[in-house]
Amino acid sequence: MDEHTDETESDWRSQSNERDESNDTPSLSRRTYCKALGAVGLAGSASIPEPVTAASGIHSVGNGSYTHAKPSGEDEPPTTLYTTGNVGGPMPSNDWWSSALVTGYSENLFFHPGFALADGTGLQVGHPTTWNYPGADAKMNVERDFTLGHTATTFADTRVDGYSDWSVTLKWDTGTGTTLTASLTKGSPYIFCEYDGGGAELEFRTAPTVWDDRGNVLGLTHDGKHYGLFAPSGDDWSGVGSATLTNDLTGGYVTIAVLPDGTSSTLDTFEQYAYNFITDTGAGDATRVSPTYDQAAGEVRTTYSFNTTTKPESQASGTITGLYPHQHKYLDDSTLAYTYECPRGTMKTTSGSSFTTTHPFRGILPFLPDEGSYDSSELSSYVNEVSASYDDSQGSGTYWTGKDYGRMAEAAPIADQVGNTSKRDALHDAIRTELEDWLTASNGESENLFYYNDQWGTLLGYPDSFGAASSLNDHHFHYGYFVRGAAELARNDESWSADSNWGGMVDLLVRDYANWERPNGANTQEPADNPADSFPFLRNFSPFGGHSWAAGTAEFADGNNQESSSEAIHAYGAMVQWAVFTGNDEMLNWAAYLYTHEMLASMEYWFDVDNQNQPDGWDHDTAGIVWGDKYAYGTWFSSDSEAIHGINYLPFGGHSLYLGWDADLAERNYSEAVANDDNGGAWDYWPDIMWNYRAFSNVSDAKDMFQSAKNYTPEAGETKAHTYHWIYNIDAMGNPDPSVTADYPLAYAFDDGTETTYVAYNGEDASITVTFSDGTSLSVPANSMATSTGDSSDPSDTTAPTTPSNLSSTGHTSSSVSLAWDAASDSGSGVDHYNVYVDGTRSQQVSAGTTMTTVSGLASGTTYDFYVTAVDGAGNESGASNTVSVTTDSSGNSDYSQSATRIDGSDGDTAIDELLFEFVSNVGSDWVDVHYTVNGGTQYNYRMNNPSGDTHTLDTSPDYVVGDFSSGDNVEYYFTYEKNGGANDTEWFSLTY
């Protein structure tokens, strides 16, 4: 959901029982629509108690303040929430399951690979597998296969009983001890259910084909979709051969699995994990995301963890989960052979208690440098035209106010570059004056202020825009612009951004759409005193989906939706800048994660960068809106192709350079816009937005269009100065180069085909050296931007880096040795790479930022000597580290190969403190156990996972009994593996951690 007021056609919410014929584009204007949606959300069970009224009054935060008294006549979110006593504290919104909070049951919940819908009979379940193309949409079929109900009764409502980062537990309760709970997890093929007062009843549309009947376990197919039913041992299913299957469930639980195929071997595998329940009970830890922004390596590593409760029938640890393309393309772990097709493309599967992805963090810039080939006097004239005052011609709400902050924040640095300091200061003063007005509330004030709603844990700005108050829509879009304006002020005035001045209130706006701390619902909610516990965790962002959702209550048959992927990316880019300029490293860690994932998800699902995720049968290559079950070539406000494409380009700035990573993609996307434009590319809706994007695929064409239409009206968040500056900087520097990262967040490299331009902005109070991944170093003064071209290594640098230290072996096999060491440093051109030597001969080169490697291709049963050196950007090589002698394993036993490798436990630190055991069976072992001791202590024994063929793995994180390992720990281990039905033990192996 996003901006503007144009009306579109078709019903905004399906009324059909199956919810399979809807088109969720509203026929109402945005403002009228959102008021209607808010009214729908207020309808609910009269038995649900009203929330406690919040205390009134003004609460100060530094020089700013907010109010607990809602201005008279203004909207706020639904006050009737369908939750149990397990759920408290600031209420999450904008999720894939949010409709369950406000409707009494739910709309379709797309957990992928399946979908579900709560109603009075229980949970309707289906598995979308085929595409259809209503209107301009590509939509996966949404059709119920069966209803999962209770043998004893139907229910008056469904309530949220618990939730965590990407899972939710729903509860049906009569109040007489007859209950049903169902736990759904994004990406999980499993639905975990528990029953009291009766058993399970599955009512299919037609009788399914049961192809494997094991009594308590069934494998079946309905309408080409495959399912596994897993009841407790001894609880057999009745009704096989009919459309109704029942089970008394004396054990009280059952798992339903969406299967990738209808084979008994697949049923075997899914049965192993089916009794490991992912259930949210209010603790909020069933699913958890843990990101780490490794600034030195220019990477964001993200670990997704599952906390399961095992039933007696469990046969393996962890769970099976399906991964979206933005995950499996960057996966550190192995995958299973099973795949699913879903509305986001192909899901690959993995197993275990966690998995980790590693994405490059390619940086952002607060503005582009002064490298353009533009006419300086012409640029200066455009700077003079920029209005240095708040422009409310589009409206006065939170969205349009924010757009104006963005407009002025992008123009102010250009004014500085052309030497117009008076215009720069005037723009800053205008942002400051308007922001401070909004960030201050007073008794009796009714507009330009923020009101704290403690039921939802949200700051609502009045006047709001597009349902931001009534339905909690679009907070990241709106408040992201506020944060962008604040970041521009903080870049120039550190004192303004102090918590004791205005920074505290800006932090609260960030927390409203992206609170990086999980609140404790038992603690007092008061943003002024306890900000971490006053907002839900990551309101807008879906940790597993990899992108944000815009609709707060998600009352749509097609699930939740997001239109402007680019404005979401802008919000997290603004968060990155604010974190850097205010020195908030914890916020920066999360901001880098949010920005990286939102941007890559945009490339995968809105732009379909590899032509793999959107269906071949669709007539379009671009999604204007991404929904839970479909792609829409449209917007909420206009059917003009400029709007459809442009809403996923704007606003342009140093956060949007990702749009130029792939010139072929930029050409393809732009060409589609031209082909669908009524004027054939003679842009008249948002011409400057289209020209800015065109610069990435044909900068000469962009220049020509700008020069031939200089009397155009800029888009509300743009200026002629910024558009001219943008196009001609891209002309001078070339497109941004995605192959180069940096060890500082505000840095970028551009490549015009003949040379590379390196750009970095230093947001610190002292000069820094920014090192790029290609070895180039750039010295940047405090609070300044610097650029260089080509190789900027200092030829006068003749000092070698310090010597790498503490080299150790972290594991070995019969043909490889794994090594780790402590990093070297270099005060000149910076460490460029490490050389690894084997028996005195250089074996490999390891890039800077990485202090571990594996040397392969070694002979078995042979002793080798290893040492490491560091090399800086000028080519100076350090002395050798300590030498480590390692003997590779004997290859006498051909049944297997094995290794134990040091890994990061991803438990809140960045230390290498855990182990990954790997056993590759050459005899087709059905199972493998690992046994190990630490420093001669207790022996620990675990069944290993089998994620990929004959490769069995187990990592000791999160904290398998011993907790984190420490340097010097002696770990001894052996394996027991299955061979021809028998158990075989390997020899003992050992390593020093």
Side-chain angles (χ1 to χ4, degrees):
M1 302 184 72
D2 193 32
E3 57 172 293
H4 295 285
T5 57
D6 296 6
E7 296 184 0
T8 55
E9 297 178 357
S10 75
D11 184 29
W12 69 271
R13 187 180 183 206
S14 169
Q15 302 299 321
S16 68
N17 181 53
E18 297 289 60
R19 269 75 169 181
D20 61 350
E21 299 296 330
S22 71
N23 183 327
D24 289 315
T25 307
S27 59
L28 309 173
S29 70
R30 286 296 302 270
R31 181 172 293 277
T32 305
Y33 157 72
C34 292
K35 286 186 176 180
L37 186 57
V40 171
L42 292 172
S45 172
S47 65
I48 296 180
E50 292 295 317
V52 176
T53 302
S56 61
I58 305 299
H59 287 259
S60 296
V61 182
N63 287 336
S65 55
Y66 60 89
T67 181
H68 271 296
K70 182 177 69 68
S72 176
E74 293 289 359
D75 294 328
E76 62 181 328
T79 57
T80 298
L81 301 181
Y82 292 84
T83 61
T84 71
N86 282 335
V87 176
M91 199 59 58
S93 62
N94 302 80
D95 219 328
W96 60 275
W97 54 266
S98 292
S99 64
L101 285 169
V102 297
T103 62
Y105 294 112
S106 79
E107 282 288 357
N108 287 324
L109 307 177
F110 295 97
F111 58 91
H112 298 160
F115 83 93
L117 181 143
D119 65 14
T121 62
L123 194 69
Q124 297 184 30
V125 177
H127 178 201
T129 56
T130 58
W131 290 97
N132 55 82
Y133 306 100
D137 298 346
K139 176 180 176 179
M140 267 205 162
N141 66 308
V142 180
E143 189 171 36
R144 173 184 66 91
D145 284 314
F146 60 89
T147 298
L148 174 62
H150 199 293
T151 56
T153 188
T154 58
F155 300 88
D157 60 46
T158 308
R159 307 190 187 192
V160 175
D161 193 45
Y163 61 87
S164 55
D165 289 3
W166 62 92
S167 57
V168 65
T169 294
L170 306 177
K171 187 169 186 177
W172 293 254
D173 191 346
T174 63
T176 61
T178 301
T179 65
L180 161 64
T181 65
S183 297
L184 305 171
T185 301
K186 195 80 165 174
S188 175
Y190 295 109
I191 302 172
F192 302 101
C193 303
E194 297 187 83
Y195 284 78
D196 282 316
E201 180 179 86
L202 275 68
E203 184 69 37
F204 287 81
R205 288 189 293 111
T206 58
T209 300
V210 176
W211 39 263
D212 196 326
D213 186 347
R214 305 175 185 182
N216 67 313
V217 173
L218 297 182
L220 57 86
T221 298
H222 178 270
D223 195 22
K225 277 73 69 70
H226 313 290
Y227 297 94
L229 280 54
F230 305 96
S233 296
D235 286 341
D236 293 350
W237 292 92
S238 300
V240 173
S242 73
T244 303
L245 299 175
T246 60
N247 197 308
D248 292 338
L249 294 182
T250 58
Y253 52 85
V254 65
T255 299
I256 311 295
V258 178
L259 298 179
D261 59 55
T263 64
S264 294
S265 60
T266 296
L267 189 67
D268 290 342
T269 301
F270 277 72
E271 183 179 2
Q272 294 178 42
Y273 301 91
Y275 298 97
N276 302 338
F277 275 41
I278 304 170
T279 305
D280 291 291
T281 59
D285 60 356
T287 56
R288 180 163 291 233
V289 64
S290 302
T292 298
Y293 169 37
D294 186 337
Q295 188 167 312
E299 294 176 343
V300 172
R301 292 188 297 274
T302 308
T303 297
Y304 303 79
S305 301
F306 302 89
N307 185 14
T308 58
T309 301
T310 58
K311 305 299 183 183
E313 296 82 4
S314 172
Q315 302 172 37
S317 62
T319 190
I320 292 175
T321 192
L323 309 182
Y324 292 118
H326 78 276
Q327 295 169 321
H328 64 65
K329 288 183 179 180
Y330 300 88
L331 185 67
D332 294 350
D333 308 271
S334 55
T335 59
L336 303 173
Y338 308 111
T339 62
Y340 296 93
E341 293 305 312
C342 82
R344 298 291 86 85
T346 299
M347 301 185 88
K348 296 185 178 181
T349 54
T350 189
S351 63
S353 298
S354 67
F355 66 90
T356 299
T357 60
T358 300
H359 296 87
F361 180 79
R362 296 179 172 113
I364 64 173
L365 294 173
F367 53 88
L368 295 190
D370 185 18
E371 297 290 321
S373 56
Y374 33 69
D375 183 295
S376 297
S377 61
E378 184 176 358
L379 180 59
S380 294
S381 70
Y382 294 143
V383 168
N384 285 331
E385 294 175 6
V386 176
S387 173
S389 63
Y390 172 66
D391 179 6
D392 63 357
S393 60
Q394 295 285 341
S396 57
T398 46
Y399 180 76
W400 297 111
T401 298
K403 290 276 287 187
D404 216 46
Y405 296 145
R407 174 185 67 84
M408 293 187 284
E410 295 296 338
I414 302 173
D416 199 29
Q417 288 178 1
V418 301
N420 193 339
T421 56
S422 61
K423 178 66 73 172
R424 175 203 64 194
D425 294 343
L427 290 168
H428 287 161
D429 288 344
I431 297 172
R432 184 182 299 107
T433 299
E434 186 70 15
L435 256 181
E436 290 178 2
D437 181 26
W438 273 86
L439 298 179
T440 306
S442 58
N443 286 320
E445 186 179 12
S446 61
E447 62 179 17
N448 294 8
L449 80 166
F450 286 95
Y451 153 72
Y452 180 69
N453 176 296
D454 62 351
Q455 183 180 35
W456 287 90
T458 182
L459 284 172
L460 303 175
Y462 297 114
D464 71 309
S465 305
F466 309 127
S470 63
S471 301
L472 295 166
N473 296 338
D474 302 354
H475 281 206
H476 56 329
F477 297 160
H478 302 194
Y479 299 169
Y481 283 110
F482 279 67
V483 176
R484 176 66 184 96
E488 173 62 14
L489 297 183
R491 184 179 70 83
N492 291 273
D493 185 356
E494 185 177 358
S495 65
W496 185 89
S497 63
D499 287 347
S500 58
N501 288 334
W502 300 97
M505 274 298 294
V506 177
D507 279 356
L508 295 186
L509 292 185
V510 174
R511 286 187 184 273
D512 182 89
Y513 68 83
N515 185 17
W516 58 94
E517 297 183 271
R518 295 174 179 84
N520 184 334
N523 292 341
T524 302
Q525 287 179 227
E526 190 59 75
D529 306 320
N530 187 18
D533 293 325
S534 299
F535 300 92
F537 176 64
L538 301 183
R539 178 189 306 285
N540 283 94
F541 189 79
S542 176
F544 201 87
H547 62 82
S548 298
W549 294 116
T553 54
E555 297 169 82
F556 304 101
D558 286 325
N560 213 327
N561 76 96
Q562 179 166 266
E563 182 179 66
S564 184
S565 61
S566 51
E567 286 183 299
I569 293 164
H570 171 261
Y572 302 125
M575 186 179 171
V576 169
Q577 293 185 58
W578 178 254
V580 171
F581 297 144
T582 59
N584 191 331
D585 290 340
E586 185 179 10
M587 183 194 294
L588 176 60
N589 182 73
W590 284 91
Y593 153 75
L594 292 166
Y595 174 81
T596 297
H597 283 76
E598 190 83 41
M599 173 264 300
L600 289 173
S602 172
M603 289 288 96
E604 291 289 344
Y605 312 126
W606 277 258
F607 289 81
D608 196 13
V609 59
D610 294 325
N611 260 327
Q612 295 175 339
N613 302 325
Q614 296 170 359
D616 293 338
W618 194 30
D619 290 337
H620 301 286
D621 294 320
T622 303
I625 309 175
V626 169
W627 291 82
D629 72 333
K630 71 179 183 180
Y631 302 106
Y633 190 76
T635 74
W636 284 93
F637 57 92
S638 174
S639 60
D640 194 306
S641 70
E642 285 183 67
I644 295 168
H645 290 256
I647 197 60
N648 286 292
Y649 303 158
L650 63 77
F652 278 89
H655 67 282
S656 55
L657 295 168
Y658 67 94
L659 292 169
W661 287 351
D662 187 332
D664 291 337
L665 172 65
E667 175 65 33
R668 192 176 85 213
N669 194 280
Y670 182 85
S671 295
E672 182 184 18
V674 172
N676 292 319
D677 181 58
D678 291 340
N679 298 316
W683 310 118
D684 58 0
Y685 194 95
W686 287 334
D688 44 1
I689 299 301
M690 304 307 291
W691 301 335
N692 285 342
Y693 186 71
R694 182 56 166 164
F696 289 133
S697 56
N698 189 328
V699 71
S700 295
D701 191 27
K703 290 192 299 180
D704 289 345
M705 287 189 287
F706 176 85
Q707 292 294 340
S708 64
K710 292 183 179 179
N711 292 323
Y712 71 96
T713 300
E715 187 269 336
E718 263 292 354
T719 62
K720 287 184 181 179
H722 183 260
T723 298
Y724 186 47
H725 185 268
W726 177 273
I727 293 171
Y728 280 79
N729 263 288
I730 299 302
D731 181 41
M733 298 187 297
N735 277 19
D737 185 351
S739 70
V740 180
T741 60
D743 62 357
Y744 190 70
L746 306 183
Y748 236 104
F750 298 80
D751 187 354
D752 66 358
T754 59
E755 67 178 4
T756 301
T757 300
Y758 301 89
V759 185
Y761 186 89
N762 177 7
E764 317 299 324
D765 292 331
S767 63
I768 61 172
T769 297
V770 176
T771 302
F772 292 84
S773 57
D774 63 0
T776 301
S777 296
L778 183 60
S779 179
V780 191
N783 303 309
S784 299
M785 178 172 278
T787 64
S788 69
T789 55
D791 183 2
S792 64
S793 301
D794 184 356
S796 64
D797 180 7
T798 58
T799 304
T802 61
T803 300
S805 58
N806 295 324
L807 177 67
S808 63
S809 172
T810 59
H812 50 82
T813 68
S814 60
S815 61
S816 67
V817 171
S818 295
L819 304 169
W821 59 91
D822 290 346
S825 62
D826 187 85
S827 59
S829 53
V831 175
D832 178 72
H833 63 271
Y834 296 95
N835 288 333
V836 179
Y837 290 82
V838 181
D839 288 345
T841 301
R842 191 173 70 177
S843 170
Q844 59 180 247
Q845 179 176 301
V846 179
S847 62
T850 302
T851 56
M852 64 180 66
T853 191
T854 297
V855 180
S856 304
L858 304 176
S860 64
T862 304
T863 300
Y864 294 89
D865 292 335
F866 302 87
Y867 66 83
V868 177
T869 65
V871 181
D872 66 16
N876 302 303
E877 186 171 14
S878 74
S881 69
N882 58 298
T883 298
V884 174
S885 296
V886 184
T887 303
T888 55
D889 298 337
S890 171
S891 59
N893 192 327
S894 60
D895 284 357
Y896 64 88
S897 60
Q898 63 81 30
S899 65
T901 307
R902 291 170 59 182
I903 61 172
D904 177 5
S906 297
D907 50 5
D909 57 32
T910 58
I912 302 300
D913 50 19
E914 299 287 355
L915 281 172
L916 173 66
F917 292 102
E918 181 176 284
F919 183 100
V920 180
S921 173
N922 299 324
V923 293
S925 301
D926 288 337
W927 54 264
V928 178
D929 294 334
V930 62
H931 320 272
Y932 66 93
T933 65
V934 183
N935 298 326
T938 303
Q939 178 172 306
Y940 303 107
N941 310 288
Y942 294 102
R943 175 64 49 89
M944 301 177 73
N945 300 323
N946 185 5
S948 181
D950 291 324
T951 301
H952 301 252
T953 61
L954 182 135
D955 67 65
T956 61
S957 60
D959 299 340
Y960 272 66
V961 183
V962 297
D964 299 339
F965 293 97
S966 300
S967 178
D969 282 347
N970 177 252
V971 181
E972 296 187 323
Y973 63 97
Y974 74 97
F975 302 88
T976 302
Y977 60 101
E978 183 273 336
K979 179 181 178 182
N980 297 326
N984 296 264
D985 291 338
T986 70
E987 64 185 300
W988 280 89
F989 307 99
S990 65
L991 63 88
T992 300
Y993 205 85

